[in-house]
Structure formats: structure tokens, C-alpha cells
Amino acid sequence: MDPEPDHEDVARQIVLRQLAMAPRSRAQLATRLRQRDCPEDVIERLLDRMTEVGLVDDEAYAGMLVRTRQATKGLARRALAHELRTKGIDQELAEAALEEIDPDEERRVARRLVDKKLRTMGGLGADVQTRRLAGMLARKGYSGDVAYAVIRDAIAEAPEHRRD
């Protein structure tokens, strides 16, 4: 007869494999362990220990997620807040990570996104360009105020829309 598996060892292996693939929040790891039918007391004990030794750090994870998603995907504060919530990051930690976003940098990122997309929209009217660009920025979490200000400036500066 096979001996009863050591739940703690199994859970530890699951967590280490998950962390080897990519950084994870405590909530994501807990969800994964529950999916594998690990007992709640084992989950709490293991994740407490992993937090204690620094392998699980939601504050660092939130900061890293905000920086990388803003840099690689051009996401704005609102979209980043949503992503942090879906990853199970505590509201207070999420707010602290979002405070690190520089509004001027957010606007520069929006402008780079608009400039890049605008290069593919030659021949379209300014109203069509505005609608499409506003939709793109909205999907990335930009407020209407920021989006329309950036779009207005970009379209005004575009050679095809300048008055002679």
C-alpha cells in the first residue's frame, strides 16, 4: 500500500514550479493550490513561510506588474488597477503601486501609442482617426480627458491634417 502523500511537500513543489514559470501573487498561488486539492491549513502555512523567506512578495509583484505592463503594453492606471485586482493584490498594495505612476509619463506613453497607430491610418478622415484612437486608448485604460487631449495634439501635428 502506498503511503499517504505529504501534502506540504506536494504543495511546496506546486508553488516552486509556479514561481519558476513566472512571478505570482499569493492569491494566484493559493488558487492554484486549491485547484490541486491542497488542504487550507497547508496552503496558509506554506504561503506564510514563502512570504517570510521572500519568495512570495505581493508588494514587489504589484510594483513589477505596474512597471512592466505600462512599459510593454502601454496600459494606463485604470487598466493596471483592474489587472492588479484580477491577480488578487490587496487594495492597499495596489494603490501604493499605482501611486508610482507618473502622470506625465502616462501621457507620454499614450502619445507614443497614438503616434504609432496614426502612422497606419493614412487616408482616413480626422473624425475616423479620432474614434479609432480613442477606442484603442480606452481599451488600455486611459481616461477620456487624457485620450482626447493627446489625440487632438497628434492629429493637429499630423502632416496630412495641417493647413497650408
Side-chain angles (χ1 to χ4, degrees), residues 11-145:
R12 184 179 305 102
Q13 294 307 315
I14 292 169
V15 167
L16 292 174
R17 272 195 311 275
Q18 290 292 306
L19 291 173
M21 289 188 288
R24 306 261 194 250
S25 70
R26 182 182 175 112
Q28 288 174 302
L29 293 168
T31 297
R32 185 70 179 129
L33 291 170
R34 284 184 194 104
Q35 289 170 345
R36 299 290 299 270
D37 296 323
C38 292
E40 251 344 280
D41 63 319
V42 170
I43 293 172
E44 288 303 313
R45 198 168 43 250
L46 176 64
L47 293 179
D48 285 347
R49 179 68 182 135
M50 294 288 190
T51 300
E52 193 178 295
V53 299
L55 288 174
V56 176
D57 183 345
D58 279 359
E59 184 176 1
Y61 176 76
M64 177 271 316
L65 189 99
V66 165
R67 284 187 304 278
T68 59
R69 293 297 201 269
Q70 185 181 30
T72 61
K73 294 185 180 222
L75 297 183
R77 181 183 302 265
R78 191 173 56 208
L80 292 166
H82 175 73
E83 190 158 347
L84 289 169
R85 273 192 311 275
T86 64
K87 303 286 186 193
I89 300 298
D90 173 73
Q91 180 71 25
E92 200 171 297
L93 291 177
E95 287 173 10
L98 293 169
E99 284 300 313
E100 299 299 314
I101 297 173
D102 175 13
D104 293 333
E105 177 61 18
E106 190 174 62
R107 193 180 184 97
R108 282 190 293 276
V109 170
R111 179 59 192 257
R112 281 194 300 270
L113 290 167
V114 165
D115 288 343
K116 181 179 177 185
K117 183 74 172 170
L118 206 48
R119 288 192 295 267
T120 68
M121 302 173 82
L124 297 175
D127 58 333
V128 173
Q129 290 177 340
T130 299
R131 259 194 330 274
R132 290 183 182 178
L133 292 167
M136 175 207 43
L137 290 178
R139 286 187 296 279
K140 291 189 176 286
Y142 289 89
S143 71
D145 293 344

